[in-house]
Amino acid sequence: MGLRLPVGDVTVLLGPPGARRGVMSALDDASGRCASGHASVRVHRLAAHASDGVHERLDAIEAVAGQGATIVLVDRFTDGLAAPDRRRLLAALRPVATAGRAVLVDDADPVAALAVADGALRADPAGGLAPEPLGIDALAS
């Protein structure tokens, strides 16, 4: 699957849960490329175990910030947490992106993820992806 993500942005996957899971599983952690497609870049996938608490997950976000990945895939990282904890973790992704990474988020609560998003992609059951407008312009349409 070819996918271009803007560096410095948090992009949220929208659409049916199965379609979003399909997108995340199709992305290969070992084949990230720069915008020109010539050089490979490091990809890091953030995922959590059900037993991981908020502090372990925050530590994982902090660790990925220091690992030098250019692309960070956030794969259902807030599953099993209460709404305030999900929002706290999702907000912690903003500095990861603004430090020069492309962050792609699939979250069980896409509405909470949209609160920190710069952009969104809508996944459809057939495997397609389309940009989804955000912000005031989206409300006007």
Side-chain angles (χ1 to χ4, degrees), residues 5-6 9-12 70 72-74 93 96-97 101-105:
L5 297 170
D9 284 2
V10 174
T11 303
V12 175
T70 301
V72 178
L73 305 174
V74 183
L93 295 172
V96 172
R101 292 170 189 83
V103 177
L104 179 65
V105 178

Side-chain angles (χ1 to χ4, degrees), residues 13-116:
L13 278 177
L14 302 175
R20 295 190 330 255
R21 278 192 299 277
V23 168
M24 292 302 279
S25 65
L27 295 172
D28 179 5
D29 298 1
S31 64
R33 297 270 178 234
C34 67
S36 68
H38 294 78
S40 81
V41 297
R42 290 191 60 203
V43 178
H44 187 88
R45 189 176 296 258
L46 270 176
H49 299 294
S51 62
D52 291 345
V54 174
H55 295 292
E56 290 90 357
R57 296 175 200 216
L58 284 170
D59 289 346
I61 292 172
E62 190 173 308
V64 80
Q67 291 177 352
T70 301
I71 301 169
V72 178
L73 305 174
V74 183
D75 201 347
R76 306 288 302 234
F77 193 64
T78 69
D79 281 9
L81 298 177
D85 293 332
R86 286 193 309 267
R87 287 191 300 271
R88 183 176 174 195
L89 287 172
L90 291 165
L93 295 172
R94 163 73 28 229
V96 172
T98 57
R101 292 170 189 83
V103 177
L104 179 65
V105 178
D106 175 25
D107 197 82
D109 186 354
V111 174
L114 284 170
V116 300

